Amino acid sequence: MSTLLLDSSVVLAAIKPDDRHHESSAALLADGSTVLATLDLARYEVTNVAVRAWSAPAAVAPLLRILDRIGADGGVVESSARLIAHAAELAGDHTISVYDAAYVAAAAEAGCGLVSCDVRDLVSKGLAELPGAVA
Amino acid sequence: MKRAKVKVYLGILTDMAKVMVSMPAELLAEVDAEARRTGSNRSAVLRGFAADAIQRRRSRRAEGIREILDGLPDLDLAGRGGEVAEEVKAHRPQP
């Protein structure tokens, strides 16, 4: 039994059929063998991508419902001054954005693994695992 | 034979953490009653309740998300934008 913290990319990939991580992301979200959690930042990010990148406002409601379901399982970590200060340190150490680092910090503080589709900044640096590696 | 038993016992010890739990006396009495009924002990009953509660929560989440994914309207997302991880980054506030 373990807990995984998911970033917004996993939730987005689960509903985007042509994303390379679609199948594994959807499988992870629908798998009942692991506790899933996320960070409050994910709510803004999934909404922003649905509206700005996809021009698909109809996608917002199901994305937020998925995040609510995750919240009722392992919880939605609330950003705090301490978490963001930790993220700032990690961002400097790993040359990543504070946004990405916030997920890394949230996972570290919750004592769980981070799952992301972000190969460039998170998976390649050993800071997260792909959904296919944990599903 | 004795050796094998010791190994198992040590294995259990190393996997278990001891915790102190506070709870109302009435609830503890119910836990104890459950332990007597099942021929078990407090620790085992509390472990079972905790594991069951977490499993039920995970299962509800998994089932709920399956329903959401299965019931998605036709959002026609294929071909809109690139890989999601890059789209997340591209649409974050820029300095």
Side-chain angles (χ1 to χ4, degrees):
Chain A
M1 194 183 299
S2 61
T3 299
L4 297 172
L5 190 132
L6 312 184
D7 77 1
S8 57
S9 67
V10 178
V11 178
L12 288 161
I15 74 158
K16 191 159 192 298
D18 61 342
D19 191 272
R20 83 178 65 173
H21 302 292
H22 169 67
E23 297 290 338
S24 55
S25 295
L28 176 60
L29 288 171
D31 174 24
S33 65
T34 308
V35 176
L36 301 182
T38 189
L39 175 64
D40 55 4
L41 174 62
R43 291 195 180 111
Y44 294 95
E45 292 187 329
V46 299
T47 303
N48 208 31
V49 169
V51 173
R52 301 291 307 280
W54 297 346
S55 301
V60 173
L63 286 166
L64 293 179
R65 281 169 51 215
I66 290 171
L67 290 174
D68 282 347
R69 289 289 182 170
I70 294 171
D73 182 15
V76 176
V77 176
E78 299 293 329
S79 300
S80 64
R82 192 183 72 167
L83 184 133
I84 294 170
H86 188 186
E89 271 178 41
L90 290 167
D93 292 346
H94 298 284
T95 325
I96 57 178
S97 73
V98 172
Y99 301 102
D100 288 328
Y103 288 104
V104 180
E109 292 191 8
C112 56
L114 175 61
V115 184
S116 173
C117 301
D118 181 359
V119 174
R120 179 161 55 98
D121 286 332
L122 294 177
V123 176
S124 69
K125 296 179 179 180
L127 299 171
E129 288 192 274
L130 286 169
V134 296
Chain B
M1 189 65 176
K2 254 184 181 174
R3 215 170 170 180
K5 278 185 181 172
V6 169
K7 272 186 184 172
V8 170
Y9 184 59
L10 288 176
I12 290 170
L13 282 182
T14 54
D15 284 346
M16 296 282 187
K18 279 192 182 295
V19 294
M20 189 178 288
V21 178
S22 301
M23 68 175 70
E26 274 185 25
L27 181 58
L28 182 60
E30 289 192 48
V31 170
D32 286 342
E34 177 70 7
R36 281 192 300 276
R37 191 181 68 76
T38 57
S40 182
N41 58 53
R42 271 183 195 168
S43 289
V45 168
L46 290 173
R47 277 198 301 275
F49 285 170
D52 286 350
I54 291 170
Q55 178 57 51
R56 272 198 306 276
R57 208 176 58 182
R58 286 195 311 240
S59 297
R60 274 201 302 270
R61 182 263 307 155
E63 180 61 28
I65 291 181
R66 269 196 296 273
E67 282 174 16
I68 294 167
L69 294 177
D70 290 346
L72 278 179
D74 183 12
L75 297 167
D76 192 25
L77 297 178
R80 296 199 196 191
E83 292 296 314
V84 293
E86 294 304 321
E87 292 296 345
V88 170
K89 291 178 194 299
H91 291 85
R92 282 172 176 160
Q94 300 300 311

